[in-house]
């Protein structure tokens, strides 16, 4: 069964450094999302992406964040200058066409630790 | 604003039935999802309701009442592997729009 994949599974970085989290959505899916989950807290929406542009973003997704689809398969989340509070699990998700009854499929996540 | 409430924790014994409730107050509604999340792993889809009533899927069922802003997930014949967090999520807009999650209910199944 097709699945969303993410790399790396874990990333440790120093405060102020840039990180890039990578996702490969399911191949025939058209809508892509990034969510994060701080340890012990709820899953929070960051950004959605469709047709090579951001379709929606939350207030968490400030100027330090950016997303890209550099080729036909990868979908990346970049944090320009990491802060301690960026430590979280970051999940990528995708939806096929966004039609009735469709659900979002989540990747296994990248655990980011900012020191 | 958006508000999705679930109990923080529940405990049950193997073989039993447990019902996890979710209430929501959102500006729009276009479906309610239940996900299962084991510690350190991704949420995995369990069920989806957009019309009132009960949806059954094996040992799992989910119910929705839109007028009451209420859903529950029913797990039957509990197994130890069902110990996990159960997340209620609401989609407020079209099918491609984002999900708003509750804080999750941690279910502990004991022998």
């Amino acid at each position: 069964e097709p699945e969303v994949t993410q790399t790396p599974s874990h990333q440790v970085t120093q405060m102020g450094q840039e990180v890039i989290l990578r996702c490969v959505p399911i191949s025939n899916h058209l809508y892509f999302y990034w969510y994060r989950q701080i340890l012990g807290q709820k899953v929070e929406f960051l950004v959605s992406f469709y047709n090579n542009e951001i379709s929606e973003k939350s207030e968490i997704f400030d100027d330090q964040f950016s997303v890209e689809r550099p080729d036909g398969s990868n979908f990346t989340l970049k944090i320009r200058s990491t802060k301690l509070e960026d430590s979280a699990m970051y999940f990528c998700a995708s939806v096929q066409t966004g039609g009735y009854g469709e659900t979002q499929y989540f990747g296994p996540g990248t655990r980011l630790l900012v020191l | 604003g958006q508000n999705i409430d679930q109990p923080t924790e529940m405990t049950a014994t193997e073989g039993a039935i447990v019902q996890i409730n979710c209430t929501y107050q959102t500006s729009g509604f276009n479906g309610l999802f239940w996900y299962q999340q084991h510690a350190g792993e991704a949420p995995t889809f369990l069920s989806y309701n957009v019309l009132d009533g009960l949806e059954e899927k094996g040992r799992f069922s989910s119910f929705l009442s839109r007028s009451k802003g209420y859903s529950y997930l029913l797990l039957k014949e509990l197994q130890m592997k069902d110990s996990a967090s159960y997340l209620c999520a609401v989609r407020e807009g079209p099918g491609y729009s984002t999900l708003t999650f509750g804080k999750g209910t941690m279910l502990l199944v004991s022998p």
Side-chain angles (χ1 to χ4, degrees):
Chain A
E1 186 178 331
E3 56 184 20
V4 178
T5 60
Q6 290 184 242
T7 54
S9 57
H10 295 79
Q11 173 118 27
V12 181
T13 191
Q14 296 289 325
M15 194 169 56
Q17 295 297 303
E18 174 184 285
V19 294
I20 297 176
L21 311 183
R22 291 183 167 80
C23 168
V24 178
I26 296 172
S27 64
N28 61 348
H29 284 197
L30 301 178
Y31 293 88
F32 316 118
Y33 311 82
W34 283 102
Y35 292 85
R36 79 170 185 192
Q37 187 176 31
I38 294 170
L39 187 64
Q41 298 188 24
K42 66 179 179 179
V43 176
E44 299 175 290
F45 166 70
L46 292 177
V47 66
S48 60
F49 194 84
Y50 170 71
N51 201 25
N52 288 318
E53 59 183 32
I54 290 173
S55 50
E56 192 178 352
K57 60 182 180 179
S58 73
E59 57 192 28
I60 302 169
F61 193 87
D62 60 22
D63 292 343
Q64 292 300 311
F65 291 89
S66 61
V67 288
E68 246 189 358
R69 189 156 161 81
D71 53 45
S73 58
N74 289 283
F75 177 51
T76 63
L77 174 70
K78 183 194 288 187
I79 309 174
R80 276 183 252 285
S81 177
T82 50
K83 303 188 283 283
L84 296 176
E85 54 264 37
D86 294 327
S87 295
M89 193 77 151
Y90 288 80
F91 294 108
C92 173
S94 68
V95 154
Q96 189 172 12
T97 63
Y100 177 85
E102 284 194 39
T103 187
Q104 294 183 17
Y105 290 90
F106 284 76
T110 294
R111 185 173 296 284
L112 176 66
L113 178 60
V114 182
L115 302 176
Chain B
Q2 305 158 331
N3 199 28
I4 300 175
D5 286 318
Q6 309 176 232
T8 305
E9 286 182 352
M10 296 184 74
T11 58
T13 52
E14 212 172 359
I17 299 173
V18 72
Q19 177 174 312
I20 302 174
N21 296 324
C22 171
T23 57
Y24 63 90
Q25 292 172 305
T26 53
S27 53
F29 181 82
N30 190 25
L32 188 142
F33 297 79
W34 284 96
Y35 283 83
Q36 181 191 61
Q37 186 180 28
H38 286 100
E41 297 183 12
T44 54
F45 171 72
L46 289 178
S47 71
Y48 165 74
N49 295 70
V50 69
L51 300 175
D52 291 351
L54 190 68
E55 294 283 339
E56 297 190 74
K57 222 185 211 186
R59 294 190 298 115
F60 296 85
S61 306
S62 57
F63 172 82
L64 175 69
S65 168
R66 288 172 297 170
S67 62
K68 294 180 180 173
Y70 168 69
S71 174
Y72 67 71
L73 179 70
L74 194 71
L75 295 82
K76 302 175 192 171
E77 300 168 21
L78 281 173
Q79 301 173 10
M80 299 293 288
K81 68 177 183 179
D82 297 328
S83 292
S85 190
Y86 290 85
L87 314 181
C88 173
V90 171
R91 184 173 61 199
E92 296 184 50
Y96 50 81
S97 56
T98 66
L99 299 177
T100 302
F101 284 84
K103 291 184 179 179
T105 299
M106 178 66 67
L107 174 67
L108 178 62
V109 180
S110 56

